[in-house]
Amino acid sequence: MTADINTILALTGSILGIFAIVFSLFAIAAVLRCKSRCLSVESSLAALRRELELASSISMKTGRRVRRVEQEHAGVAERIDSLELRGSVQSFDQAIDSARRGTESGRLAQQFGLSRSEADLVTRLHGRKKIA
């Protein structure tokens, strides 16, 4: 019986040893898969960093271009508003009629939304001639 118990213990120990070896092999394979996946993720992360840097660079360049365009065309909105205030050619016609009746250029500019130089020109061309 003692030989039987020793044999059973030896067999049980051998089986447990084999299971430990098999389990170790599976664990090693899992670790290798994890390492491979980690390297793949790190590679993807590096590619994403490069793309983010490129997008950031493009964004900065675009921002500078937008600011430059805004600076170059800052007065356009004011000029458009000024033109809209003037109305159509009819305001020039009315200004010419007023100048013929003797209205001064300052009053023309104020009344019809003309610039000072436009009002002066209308007055010179169409205003009453001063007799000296």
Side-chain angles (χ1 to χ4, degrees), residues 3-30:
D4 290 332
I5 292 180
N6 286 337
T7 307
I8 292 174
L9 287 176
L11 282 174
T12 306
S14 297
I15 292 173
L16 287 175
I18 292 172
F19 280 130
I21 290 172
V22 170
F23 178 76
S24 295
L25 291 176
F26 280 116
I28 289 171

Side-chain angles (χ1 to χ4, degrees), residues 38-121:
C38 184
L39 290 174
S40 173
V41 168
E42 286 177 353
S43 174
S44 296
L45 183 60
L48 285 173
R49 281 185 183 142
R50 286 190 300 274
E51 287 182 30
L52 181 60
E53 288 172 0
L54 178 64
S56 174
S57 172
I58 290 170
S59 176
M60 288 174 50
K61 289 177 185 176
T62 303
R64 284 192 294 263
R65 287 180 184 163
V66 166
R67 281 191 296 277
R68 189 183 74 235
V69 167
E70 285 175 346
Q71 290 170 351
E72 289 174 358
H73 299 3
V76 171
E78 293 173 10
R79 286 182 270 181
I80 290 173
D81 289 341
S82 173
L83 289 173
E84 287 175 350
L85 288 175
R86 286 186 195 170
S88 64
V89 176
Q90 185 179 8
S91 64
F92 275 106
D93 292 338
Q94 292 171 347
I96 289 170
D97 290 340
S98 290
R100 287 181 180 152
R101 289 190 300 265
T103 306
E104 303 227 353
S105 63
R107 179 86 173 128
L108 291 176
Q110 182 182 20
Q111 188 174 358
F112 298 104
L114 303 176
S115 69
R116 182 67 181 176
S117 59
E118 290 171 333
D120 287 340
L121 182 62

